[in-house]
Amino acid sequence: QVQLVESGGGLAQPGGSLRLSCAASGFTFSSYGMSWARQAPGKGLEWVSGIRSDGSDTYYADSVKGRFTISRDNTKNTLYLQMNSLKPEDTARYFCAKAKTSSIATIVHEYGYWGQGTQVTVSS
């Protein structure tokens, strides 16, 4: 069955960096687009970034554009999110999700498979 396991979260200072990973199994990783989404305390799930199955195209929410970089290693079945210039408003639980096709959707309800998430806290 599809399994997505996120890691790499933690506490970072404003302006700092973190790198999230998502280990995928149970499906042909290289055939599907993948995305990251986040949920801040008391708020709904927000799509953050997505990448096509072959890594040829990447997409970002305006709130993270220029600060976050999504990538994938299809030989390792792993998705990444490099987060730089972190802000307190980036504090949230971050989830990876498997798309239905080789492309991605920016609507979180389009995704059927999610990991358990990893917590990111940005605070001084």
Side-chain angles (χ1 to χ4, degrees), residues 36-38 46-50 59-64 68 81 94:
W36 289 97
R38 65 187 181 185
E46 174 194 17
W47 176 83
V48 171
S49 181
Y59 309 87
Y60 299 93
D62 288 344
S63 57
V64 306
F68 290 11
L81 186 67
Y94 284 72

Side-chain angles (χ1 to χ4, degrees), residues 5-10 19-23 36 79 81 94 116-118:
V5 180
E6 301 93 337
S7 61
R19 189 193 195 202
L20 307 184
S21 298
C22 171
W36 289 97
L79 177 72
L81 186 67
Y94 284 72
Q116 83 291 346
T118 186

